[in-house]
Amino acid sequence: MSIDNTVFTDSGRCINRHYLIALVAIIPLLSSCNHETSINTNSSFLCDTPAVVKQQMLSLVNAARASGQACNGQIFTSTGAVTWSDALTAAAKVHSDDMAVNNFFSHRGSDGLQVGARVQAQGYVFISAGENIFAGAQDSGEAVRGWLASTTGHCEAIMNQNFREMGVACTRNANSEFGTYYTQVFGSR
């Protein structure tokens, strides 16, 4: 499995943190915003229906936000719940579909665009936007657990008190390297 996190601010500054997940260890690899790494995983996993992904992601993310988290040694106290955004979900779906169809794993789409441009293309005018991606998860719970356990970036994005809305999509392609591609997009307006 592989997970990745990018955060864009309204100034357009890109912060990319990539993680290679081994069986037990999570190793952060700081990189430029176009770095890509892939790992073979089980391509037989399925994506739940969009309604189930929505319910599970909102429940899991808001439970994490409500309970507080220790992210990379930094304590995050509880923060408010995020609400579902259809526009952010549409941006997430575009990217998950792109990765699954074109068999790649990166924040940069096959068209060269990143999360900020995908969010704006859906009519979402943001102050800040962030994105977590996960390839090879067998369900929403595995993706969220992986993001919360990562050593830098993913957990912080989930706990970012400035993010007020979230959208998530999962796309499956059994003929791709990872099988499932989750994209989680956060935003605030």
Side-chain angles (χ1 to χ4, degrees), residues 17-52:
R17 298 173 183 100
H18 190 83
Y19 301 87
L20 178 64
I21 300 218
L23 289 175
V24 178
I26 300 173
I27 307 159
L29 303 169
L30 294 179
S31 65
S32 66
C33 288
N34 61 0
H35 183 73
E36 300 165 22
T37 299
S38 61
I39 304 165
N40 253 340
T41 62
N42 187 341
S43 64
S44 66
F45 298 147
L46 300 174
C47 292
D48 287 313
T49 66
V52 171

Side-chain angles (χ1 to χ4, degrees), residues 7-21:
V7 175
F8 281 87
T9 63
D10 56 346
S11 66
R13 186 170 154 240
C14 172
I15 304 165
N16 187 27
R17 298 173 183 100
H18 190 83
Y19 301 87
L20 178 64
I21 300 218

Side-chain angles (χ1 to χ4, degrees), residues 6 11 17 53 60 71 76 81 87 95 106 124 127 129 138 159 169 180 189:
T6 294
S11 66
R17 298 173 183 100
V53 169
L60 293 166
C71 303
F76 286 80
H95 194 53
S106 173
Y124 190 98
I127 295 169
Q138 67 181 6
M159 295 304 296
T180 59
R189 327 181 202 213

Side-chain angles (χ1 to χ4, degrees), residues 147-160:
W147 290 325
L148 289 172
S150 72
T151 57
T152 311
H154 305 91
C155 182
E156 289 92 334
I158 290 171
M159 295 304 296
N160 187 328

